[in-house]
């Protein structure tokens, strides 16, 4: 009897342990990735010495939380290459993606939700380097040949819509150089769940109710900005079938970008976020809105400087059926002014476009430009009072 009793107790413990493990596993599986750095997204957890050949990482899973392929190096701050010091923006470690190199991490996400990826990268060779960022079946090619900071490091963003609950995020260097180690350095990889705001059609806006026909006109929804990195996040050019890390807006360019900035590090006209037009006429910020032919509309927006030393005559060209040039005399210390223009729609869809009229450069030689914020598009009241029956 005693033996049977002991066996029963052991059986109960086994059952309890089994259910405990199942519960823990279920919690681990159900826990979606949260906004901010990915696990070991700063690469401070590195491979063991036995998995390194000099700086090259030899094992596929040698870097915790990441899988690698191709020529991947684990770089410490102050590492030198041809008498050039390779700095690391924060912390002590980064990775370098050489010929055909990839780092990837599996993420638990919400199916059909939108996400943006932010990562920091720097060139290490003179080649026109680029990075492929992908979450199957979506991918984007991010050009990194233009440097927008004095440190050589820039933060880039890319967005996707999750097709599955578990996805692989990959960052790949497609280059094949004579020196297999030549390639971009990557540090700080983060994710953010996007909540794209809806636009308000013209016929739903009434004179006594605030509304905006543009989505995300205040730019408050956008990619993750690292709190300790002062240079903002670059939003790359994208085709119209790609998802934007700046919901509602498209960047029109071949290789140039706009910069997404925050109030913690820049002067922002309103709220906590804005966009700096850093590429002159080579990159335009655009959005399409549903309009009614023959109706008149008012487009208003703020133009200023980011308080980052970008001084001089800053001007923005705005297009929305009509064209306007808005000038702002900047001292580089912050400030803005409000502007509005009216136009009559000719089509069912009107494209709103902004770009900097000229190139601007700070004293340290880095590109800068006017800051745009708080973009509002509404029908004028004589039309807004009319109720369109759909």
């Amino acid at each position: 009897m005693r033996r049977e009793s002991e066996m029963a107790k052991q059986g109960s413990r086994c059952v309890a342990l089994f259910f405990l493990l199942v519960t823990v596993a279920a919690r681990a599986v159900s826990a979606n990735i949260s906004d901010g750095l990915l696990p070991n997204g700063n690469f401070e957890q590195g491979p063991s010495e036995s998995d390194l050949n000099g700086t090259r990482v030899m094992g596929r899973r040698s870097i915790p939380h990441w899988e690698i392929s191709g020529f991947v190096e684990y770089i410490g701050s102050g590492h030198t290459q041809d008498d050039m010091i390779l700095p690391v923006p924060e912390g002590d470690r980064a990775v370098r993606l050489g010929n055909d190199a990839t780092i990837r991490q599996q993420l638990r996400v919400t199916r059909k939700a939108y996400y943006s990826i932010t990562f920091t990268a720097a060139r290490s060779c003179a080649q026109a380097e680029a990075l492929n960022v992908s979450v199957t079946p979506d991918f984007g090619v991010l050009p990194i040949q233009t440097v927008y900071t004095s440190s050589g490091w820039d933060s880039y963003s890319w967005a996707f819509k999750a097709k599955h609950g578990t996805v692989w995020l990959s960052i790949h260097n497609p280059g094949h150089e004579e020196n297999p180690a030549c390639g971009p350095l990557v540090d700080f990889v983060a994710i953010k769940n996007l909540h794209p705001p809806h636009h308000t059609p013209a016929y739903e806006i009434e004179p006594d109710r605030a509304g905006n026909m543009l989505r995300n006109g205040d730019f408050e929804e956008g990619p993750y900005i690292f709190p300790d990195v002062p240079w903002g996040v670059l939003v790359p050019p994208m085709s119209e079938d790609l998802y934007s890390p700046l919901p509602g807006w498209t960047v029109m360019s071949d290789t140039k970008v706009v910069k997404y900035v925050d109030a913690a590090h820049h002067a922002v006209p309103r709220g906590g976020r804005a966009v700096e037009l850093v590429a002159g006429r080579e990159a335009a910020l655009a959005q399409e809105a549903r309009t009614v032919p023959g109706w008149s509309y008012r487009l208003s927006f703020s133009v200023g400087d980011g308080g980052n030393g970008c001084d001089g005559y800053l001007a923005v060209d705005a297009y929305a059926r009509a064209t306007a040039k808005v000038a702002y005399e900047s001292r580089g210390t912050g400030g803005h002014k409000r502007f509005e223009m009216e136009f009559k729609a000719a089509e069912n869809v009107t494209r709103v476009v902004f770009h900097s009229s000229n190139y601007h450069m700070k004293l340290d030689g880095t590109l800068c430009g006017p800051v745009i914020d708080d973009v509002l598009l509404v029908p004028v009241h004589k039309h807004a009072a009319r109720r369109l029956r759909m």
Side-chain angles (χ1 to χ4, degrees):
M1 293 294 292
R2 180 180 297 176
R3 184 178 178 182
E4 291 178 357
S5 177
E6 290 176 354
M7 290 178 64
K9 289 180 180 179
Q10 289 178 358
S12 298
R13 292 193 190 99
C14 290
V15 171
L17 180 60
F18 171 78
F19 279 109
L20 177 62
L21 292 174
V22 169
T23 302
V24 171
R27 288 176 179 172
V29 170
S30 63
N32 283 18
I33 202 79
S34 58
D35 290 357
L37 273 180
L38 296 181
N40 199 23
N42 55 8
F43 301 102
E44 293 301 299
Q45 301 173 50
S48 62
E49 291 295 328
S50 61
D51 286 331
L52 289 172
N53 182 4
T55 56
R56 184 176 180 181
V57 183
M58 305 306 296
R60 182 182 176 189
R61 294 185 175 88
S62 297
I63 302 177
H65 299 283
W66 294 93
E67 285 190 11
I68 71 165
S69 62
F71 198 104
V72 176
E73 292 183 281
Y74 192 60
I75 302 295
S77 182
H79 178 80
T80 59
Q81 172 189 300
D82 300 329
D83 298 325
M84 178 181 68
I85 297 177
L86 303 179
V88 175
E90 293 287 338
D92 297 319
R93 303 291 178 177
V95 295
R96 179 159 61 173
L97 306 183
N99 280 354
D100 202 30
T102 301
I103 55 172
R104 70 174 194 161
Q105 185 172 141
Q106 192 174 50
L107 309 177
R108 178 74 174 176
V109 293
T110 300
R111 186 171 174 268
K112 296 185 178 181
Y114 295 87
Y115 294 88
S116 65
I117 299 295
T118 302
F119 64 92
T120 302
R123 291 169 51 190
S124 65
C125 299
Q127 285 80 6
E129 297 173 353
L131 286 170
N132 291 354
V133 185
S134 65
V135 172
T136 305
D138 299 323
F139 72 95
V141 180
L142 308 187
I144 63 172
Q145 61 262 40
T146 302
V147 179
Y148 294 88
T149 65
S150 58
S151 70
W153 287 86
D154 284 300
S155 296
Y156 297 83
S157 60
W158 179 77
F160 68 95
K161 181 180 180 181
K163 303 299 191 300
H164 308 282
T166 302
V167 298
W168 282 97
L169 164 68
S170 298
I171 302 176
H172 172 67
N173 173 25
H176 290 272
E177 304 297 339
E178 185 174 331
N179 179 356
C182 260
L185 289 102
V186 176
D187 197 8
F188 283 132
V189 186
I191 194 169
K192 183 182 176 186
N193 189 188
L194 296 175
H195 304 282
H198 297 289
H199 74 281
T200 305
Y203 49 82
E204 291 183 4
I205 297 178
E206 299 177 13
D208 59 348
R209 182 166 64 88
N212 189 357
M213 294 168 58
L214 296 175
R215 291 169 290 165
N216 200 21
D218 56 6
F219 302 110
E220 293 302 299
E221 188 67 28
Y224 185 81
I225 297 179
F226 298 109
D228 297 325
V229 172
W231 50 69
V233 178
L234 302 179
V235 181
M238 64 201 77
S239 62
E240 294 183 3
D241 60 340
L242 293 179
Y243 305 105
S244 174
L246 192 59
W249 296 93
T250 299
V251 178
M252 303 166 59
S253 179
D254 290 329
T255 61
K256 296 301 187 287
V257 300
V258 302
K259 181 177 286 189
Y260 189 56
V261 298
D262 64 345
H265 303 98
H266 296 78
V268 172
R270 183 175 181 270
R273 303 285 190 271
V275 170
E276 184 180 9
L277 304 175
V278 293
R281 292 178 174 271
E282 289 191 77
L285 187 67
Q287 183 174 158
E288 292 185 341
R290 290 176 58 193
T291 51
V292 179
W295 281 25
S296 296
Y297 296 87
R298 180 178 298 112
L299 176 68
S300 59
F301 52 93
S302 296
V303 173
D305 73 275
N308 56 355
C310 192
D311 58 3
Y313 180 82
L314 306 182
V316 171
D317 291 333
Y319 305 90
R321 179 66 177 166
T323 303
K325 184 184 291 289
V326 183
Y328 176 77
E329 190 67 29
S330 168
R331 297 182 179 179
T333 57
H336 68 277
K337 74 175 186 179
R338 192 76 179 157
F339 180 82
E340 65 180 38
M341 56 185 281
E342 289 192 7
F343 66 93
K344 182 174 290 187
E347 307 289 343
N348 291 326
V349 174
T350 298
R351 174 172 286 183
V352 176
V353 181
F354 300 97
H355 67 69
S356 175
S357 302
N358 301 292
Y359 293 96
H360 301 278
M361 192 173 291
K362 295 185 287 186
L363 291 177
D364 62 6
T366 57
L367 292 170
C368 64
V371 168
I372 187 167
D373 195 10
D374 198 18
V375 185
L376 180 67
L377 177 65
V378 295
V380 296
H381 287 175
K382 63 181 179 180
H383 294 303
R386 170 185 168 189
R387 301 296 294 173
L388 182 66
R389 302 297 179 184
M390 300 301 291

